[in-house]
Amino acid sequence: MSLFDSRSLLPLVALLAACATKDASKSANASDSTTAVAAAKPHQMTVVATDYKFDAPDEVPAGMMTIHLVDNGSELHHVAFVKLNDGKSVTDIEQAMKTNGPMPSWAVDYGGVNPPHPGGGMATTTQMLEPGNYALMCFVPSADGVPHFAKGMVRPLTVTASKDASTPAPVADIDMTLNNYSFTTSKPITAGRHTIKIENAASQSHELVIARLAPGKKAEDLPAWVEKQVGPPPGEPIGGVPAMTKGATAFVTADFTPGDYAFVCFLPDAKDGKPHFTHGMVKQVHVE
Ligand SMILES: [Cu+2]
């Protein structure tokens, strides 16, 4: 085998390409003449969750946003983006959530990032953020049944108009459709890093929780555990997207190692209020 075997050169070529990209983004930051290069990438924001608080920016620009959620707490946390229309505030949503029932009409389920593993895990979603006022909320309940937003995990976010708002969506290699009551992927998920484009085609909100199952555990074990949170969890969460309204799109980037995975929707049904996993939105897939 020659040293210049094309296969042995490939990683070098990839490395050089990566360096070139890095340099391009550096110079783009330094000069206005290359703004187009910088605009081709989504904005980035990081939300850090602890028990029971969010650290996050107060204000971000509109457009494609890559949202990283880091869970430095000991419990599961997600960050659900809720868009507040009609001039409503975080105080209004806190007030509205004190009574059970559907979300008020002025509050729109706007995706976000579903739980990474507690104790330092990170999960990532990229989605379009329109200008406006949002609430960042954690709806995950503690073992006492109290959702985390009622323990302090609610925070305002202002999205401001931006000239980079037309940044293209990330390139996905797998499509997933959420419907009443199913998860459908365009092809099997293989081991490795994937960007999955998730679209809610249903008339009501749905979410996607992705968890890597512990050996011998089934997808159905996950919602059963979340209800009581007793004993070791049957799997490790690796992200997904919280409630997305009808027609919404989001991109989840995650690393899949070989094994069994669960897709679960925990949202209450628009008609009977029962969680969607009881209607069939719990799916087990094998990755190899
Ligand atoms: Cu659902």
Side-chain angles (χ1 to χ4, degrees), residues 146-243:
V146 179
H148 293 165
F149 68 79
K151 294 172 184 265
M153 296 191 81
V154 52
R155 188 187 163 94
L157 174 73
T158 304
V159 176
T160 58
S162 157
K163 61 177 163 47
D164 298 340
S166 60
T167 304
V171 176
D173 62 330
I174 297 172
D175 292 338
M176 183 189 290
T177 306
L178 312 186
N179 219 322
N180 298 334
Y181 297 94
S182 59
F183 299 101
T184 311
T185 45
S186 58
K187 56 181 163 184
I189 300 174
T190 52
R193 190 170 182 80
H194 294 287
T195 295
I196 306 175
K197 180 184 180 184
I198 295 149
E199 196 171 346
N200 179 15
S203 55
Q204 63 175 312
S205 294
H206 289 294
E207 70 166 338
L208 167 69
V209 168
I210 310 174
R212 185 174 196 279
L213 294 167
K217 295 296 180 184
K218 295 271 168 260
E220 290 76 12
D221 297 335
L222 193 74
W225 181 85
V226 169
E227 262 175 23
K228 300 205 175 82
Q229 301 185 30
V230 174
E236 177 180 84
I238 63 161
V241 188

Side-chain angles (χ1 to χ4, degrees), residues 20-21 26 60 82 98 108 115 131 165 184 238 256:
T21 309
K26 248 186 218 162
V60 294
V82 178
K98 282 181 181 162
V108 182
T184 311
I238 63 161
F256 290 83

Side-chain angles (χ1 to χ4, degrees), residues 71-153:
D71 184 354
N72 283 339
S74 61
E75 295 188 33
L76 287 174
H77 299 293
H78 71 172
V79 60
F81 281 54
V82 178
K83 188 163 189 283
L84 306 171
N85 292 333
D86 304 343
K88 297 291 183 181
S89 69
V90 160
T91 314
D92 294 319
I93 189 94
E94 284 182 284
Q95 201 60 37
M97 298 309 295
K98 282 181 181 162
T99 51
N100 274 329
M103 291 282 267
S105 60
W106 44 263
V108 182
D109 290 326
Y110 220 88
V113 190
N114 260 340
H117 67 81
M122 184 174 89
T124 302
T125 297
T126 300
Q127 62 181 36
M128 179 59 85
L129 290 184
E130 305 288 342
N133 293 318
Y134 293 74
L136 308 187
M137 302 179 76
C138 182
F139 292 93
V140 177
S142 287
D144 61 9
V146 179
H148 293 165
F149 68 79
K151 294 172 184 265
M153 296 191 81

